């Protein structure tokens, strides 16, 4: 049995193991921890209200979660208004760390959530989950509260391609891109059932030390970077049952794959296993049939990365101020070059 197999058998939990919310609250209080839940959004008006309705009792009825926030990337629909009306704290990503500039993407929202939220543990959930349930939170934070040596917990689940048929599918980018790449270059990470799952819980002390790609590459980058620093021992995954969500079209998945590939190629280069690309970013050309011909559309995919939050002066200064007041720390930063980011804020 190799290390990935051993990890898979010992660090894969089921959400039912953590169903006793009162027990989790006692563990949280005994360890003196704060839990923050962040939902990154961009035009999620159709689902954000229901998602929050099902999660807010974890803050308002049973005090497992200390704060619930939506961090938005400039939605043009009513996402922000609906999230605020539901009772969540709502932040616009562009208003957080304005000296670091603005970018749009899930990774950007998560990175900036570190600066704005106060939790020692950050729980991230996607906003398009149609069957949202408190188990998505309890199942992810449970391993962290019960096992202090675990630092990062990833979700895994079934993803029905068509909920009415019960047939399993989805995860197309995982199966045709990420899983093969992990098998070739990062074999210890092949035990992750859903490596691109957008749902995770992690300790701030880990998240603030790693860079954040601003877009689709953030999930893969977290696994690769934390594994390089700490090995498999800090990871776990929890089976959350079934996840129902909006399925994306092939064109969007192609752009997603391009961003993820950039992120992984960058890390292979840093390990001396790839030559440096001669061109920054990637121009992906896609085709759509138009009557009797095909129309070409090109998209420039440039997956910028924010530096580790600890390199951002504004974040460090705020942390020191909170420490002096015996408050909980906060986290987040932004810019591809760490030294440039730190200098920009000083």
């Amino acid at each position: 049995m190799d290390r990935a197999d051993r990890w898979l058998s010992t660090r894969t939990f089921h959400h039912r193991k953590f169903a006793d919310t009162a027990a989790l609250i006692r563990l949280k209080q005994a360890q003196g921890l704060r839990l923050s839940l962040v939902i990154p959004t961009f035009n999620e008006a159709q689902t954000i209200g229901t998602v929050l309705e099902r999660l807010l009792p974890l803050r308002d009825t049973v005090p497992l979660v200390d704060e619930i926030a939506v961090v938005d990337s400039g939605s043009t629909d009513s996402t922000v208004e609906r999230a605020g009306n539901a009772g969540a704290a709502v932040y616009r990503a562009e208003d957080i760390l304005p000296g670091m500039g603005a970018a749009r993407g899930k990774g950007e929202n998560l990175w900036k959530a570190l600066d704005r939220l106060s939790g020692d543990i950050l729980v991230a959930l996607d906003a398009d989950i149609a069957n949202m349930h408190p188990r998505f939170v309890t199942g992810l934070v449970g391993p962290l509260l019960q096992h202090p040596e675990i630092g990062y917990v990833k979700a895994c689940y079934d993803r029905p391609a068509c909920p009415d048929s019960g047939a399993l599918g989805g995860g197309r980018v995982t199966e045709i891109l990420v899983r093969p790449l992990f098998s070739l270059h990062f074999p210890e990470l092949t035990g992750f059932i859903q490596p691109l799952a957008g749902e995770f819980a992690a300790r701030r002390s880990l998240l603030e030390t790693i860079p954040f790609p601003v877009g689709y590459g953030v999930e893969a980058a977290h696994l690769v970077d934390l594994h390089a620093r700490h090995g498999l021992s800090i990871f776990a995954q929890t089976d959350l049952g079934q996840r129902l969500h909006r399925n994306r079209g092939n064109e969007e998945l192609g752009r997603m794959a391009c961003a993820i590939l950039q992120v992984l190629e960058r890390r292979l280069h840093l390990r001396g296993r790839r030559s440096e690309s001669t061109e920054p970013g990637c121009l992906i050309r896609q085709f759509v049939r138009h009557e009797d011909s095909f129309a070409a559309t090109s998209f420039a995919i440039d997956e910028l990365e924010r530096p580790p939050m600890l390199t951002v002066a504004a974040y460090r200064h705020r942390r020191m101020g909170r420490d002096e007041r015996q408050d909980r720390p906060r986290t987040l930063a932004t810019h591809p070059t760490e030294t440039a980011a730190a200098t920009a804020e000083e």
Side-chain angles (χ1 to χ4, degrees):
M1 181 182 291
D2 64 16
R3 291 194 63 189
D5 285 334
R6 288 195 298 271
W7 176 85
L8 183 62
S9 64
T10 60
R11 285 296 191 228
T12 302
F13 302 101
H14 195 279
H15 69 84
R16 285 192 294 267
K17 179 178 173 62
F18 312 106
D20 188 344
T21 306
L24 296 181
I25 293 172
R26 289 193 296 270
L27 285 171
K28 184 193 84 162
Q29 293 172 341
Q31 296 171 50
L33 299 174
R34 284 180 59 83
L35 270 60
S36 296
L37 169 59
V38 59
I39 303 173
T41 59
F42 177 69
N43 287 346
E44 300 289 357
Q46 289 187 337
T47 54
I48 189 62
T50 301
V51 165
L52 287 169
E53 178 184 351
R54 295 173 181 174
L55 295 174
L56 284 166
L58 293 175
R59 183 196 68 185
D60 301 337
T61 305
V62 292
L64 177 63
V65 175
D66 295 283
E67 56 186 342
I68 296 179
V70 166
V71 180
D72 187 76
S73 264
S75 290
T76 56
D77 63 6
S78 58
T79 297
V80 169
E81 293 76 10
R82 294 189 181 192
N85 291 338
V90 181
Y91 304 101
R92 298 180 189 272
E94 63 186 14
D95 296 333
I96 302 173
L97 291 173
M100 299 299 294
R104 174 176 290 178
K106 178 181 181 178
E108 175 82 349
N109 293 2
L110 294 173
W111 186 68
K112 288 191 168 180
L114 277 174
D115 183 71
R116 191 51 50 101
L117 304 185
S118 63
D120 305 288
I121 291 173
L122 190 77
V123 185
L125 299 179
D126 283 346
D128 65 343
I129 301 174
N131 63 326
M132 181 60 75
H133 186 275
R135 70 174 184 273
F136 279 71
V137 176
T138 57
L140 292 173
V141 302
L144 295 171
L145 296 175
Q146 290 189 8
H147 304 276
E149 72 277 12
I150 294 176
Y152 193 105
V153 183
K154 195 78 166 172
C156 59
Y157 32 63
D158 296 327
R159 300 176 64 176
C162 178
D164 294 334
S165 71
L168 297 182
R172 288 164 283 174
V173 176
T174 291
E175 298 302 334
I176 66 177
L177 176 70
V178 174
R179 209 178 299 287
L181 277 171
F182 277 11
S183 298
L184 286 170
H185 300 294
F186 308 101
E188 286 198 351
L189 298 178
T190 57
F192 283 95
I193 296 167
Q194 294 284 354
L196 298 184
E199 300 79 29
F200 68 87
R203 300 188 192 278
R204 173 183 294 273
S205 57
L206 292 178
L207 294 176
E208 65 187 2
T209 65
I210 55 175
F212 276 55
V214 300
Y216 290 124
V218 65
E219 287 95 358
H222 280 183
L223 299 185
V224 171
D225 291 345
L226 288 173
H227 176 261
R229 288 170 173 255
H230 305 284
L232 270 179
S233 61
I234 65 161
F235 291 111
Q237 61 187 345
T238 300
D239 181 354
L240 299 180
Q242 189 178 83
R243 182 191 194 273
L244 304 179
H245 65 109
R246 178 182 68 251
N247 284 315
R248 303 177 188 274
N250 287 341
E251 292 79 10
E252 185 175 359
L253 293 180
R255 298 191 288 273
M256 178 190 299
C258 190
I260 294 168
L261 187 57
Q262 282 186 58
V263 165
L264 295 180
E265 286 278 339
R266 225 173 263 152
R267 281 147 180 80
L268 288 170
H269 169 68
L270 290 174
R271 289 159 176 75
R273 296 163 69 179
R274 280 286 187 278
S275 60
E276 188 170 7
S277 174
T278 57
E279 295 290 339
C282 170
L283 185 68
I284 184 171
R285 184 172 288 109
Q286 297 176 319
F287 298 89
V288 177
R289 178 173 287 282
H290 181 68
E291 296 180 351
D292 293 331
S293 63
F294 286 95
T297 307
S298 297
F299 295 89
I301 309 296
D302 192 2
E303 186 78 340
L304 301 176
E305 301 201 28
R306 295 300 199 177
M309 193 58 80
L310 284 177
T311 68
V312 178
Y315 175 74
R316 296 197 307 272
H317 294 163
R318 185 156 39 251
R319 286 288 302 276
M320 285 189 293
R322 291 177 66 88
D323 289 344
E324 289 173 0
R325 298 191 303 272
Q326 295 183 342
D327 269 338
R328 294 288 173 184
R330 310 193 332 178
T331 326
L332 259 201
T334 53
H335 206 23
T337 306
E338 297 181 12
T339 55
T343 303
E345 285 296 309
E346 311 228 45

